[in-house]
Amino acid sequence: LSSLENHVQALISCVPAKDGEVVDLQPLFFNLTIDSATDFLLGQSVSCQGSAVGSPAWEFSEAFDHAEQVLHKRGELGALAWLIHDAKFEPACKVVHDFTDKYIREALKGDTKAGRYNLLAELAGACDDPIQIRNELLNVLLAARDTTAGLLSSVFYLLARNPDAWNKLS
């Protein structure tokens, strides 16, 4: 199976099998896109989809979400961003940084999967500053995850409300 197909199969396995049950697909789409994005960016997926509560992948995903929400609020406030104080923000950033730094250290030592393109290996080949590499990776990860998950959520929301369009696809 292709890498993307593996991630889609993991998503499908997390969807309840009961007919007529309401399912919130958005968290599943966020996990799908973080898994597929990290696969491309790091050379291996962090495997958030279906990960156990408290596992490193689950903690990374939760910390990433929380840090992003706080940064979004700060961005909305602009010069008044200092008004936002969130006690969980710094620990969430530490979880995200520690998690990605592990991959960066390996890449800077040359420990990457041969034959598979990944952004981390390219960045490590061009730069030896782990903080700069982390910043680049997290910026791309944020864009890759959120835009794709948002698009998937919107498409399924609209398809669920338009049976004629759904029937044309099936």
Side-chain angles (χ1 to χ4, degrees):
L1 294 176
S2 74
S3 185
L4 180 59
E5 188 170 343
N6 285 333
H7 299 306
V8 171
Q9 291 299 325
L11 176 143
I12 291 169
S13 72
C14 292
V15 175
K18 297 177 187 173
D19 283 343
E21 184 174 344
V22 175
V23 177
D24 184 0
L25 292 173
Q26 192 169 26
L28 300 177
F29 289 148
F30 275 113
N31 286 337
L32 167 73
T33 55
I34 202 168
D35 285 349
S36 63
T38 55
D39 204 0
F40 169 74
L41 296 173
L42 304 175
Q44 56 188 322
S45 173
V46 297
S47 301
C48 291
Q49 193 76 268
S51 62
V53 173
S55 69
W58 181 88
E59 287 179 359
F60 172 74
S61 180
E62 292 293 309
F64 193 88
D65 286 343
H66 186 77
E68 181 186 0
Q69 289 170 5
V70 173
L71 289 172
H72 181 74
K73 289 177 190 174
R74 286 181 177 179
E76 288 177 338
L77 289 176
L80 299 175
W82 59 271
L83 291 171
I84 298 285
H85 176 72
D86 184 301
K88 295 179 182 177
F89 178 70
E90 292 298 327
C93 289
K94 182 171 179 13
V95 168
V96 171
H97 290 172
D98 289 350
F99 196 87
T100 54
D101 287 351
K102 175 184 68 173
Y103 292 97
I104 293 167
R105 279 191 301 277
E106 291 172 9
L108 288 173
K109 286 191 250 178
D111 296 339
T112 59
K113 289 185 178 181
R116 280 193 69 202
Y117 176 85
N118 68 77
L119 183 62
L120 176 55
E122 296 298 321
L123 289 172
C127 171
D128 62 357
D129 180 357
I131 303 302
Q132 182 178 353
I133 294 172
R134 181 204 305 149
N135 292 341
E136 299 291 339
L137 282 174
L138 292 177
N139 278 325
V140 175
L141 178 58
L142 177 67
R145 183 191 83 139
D146 287 10
T147 55
T148 309
L151 173 66
L152 289 169
S153 297
S154 295
V155 166
F156 275 79
Y157 175 84
L158 293 171
L159 284 172
R161 279 147 186 77
N162 190 336
D164 292 336
W166 179 263
N167 289 333
K168 285 181 182 179
L169 292 173
S170 45

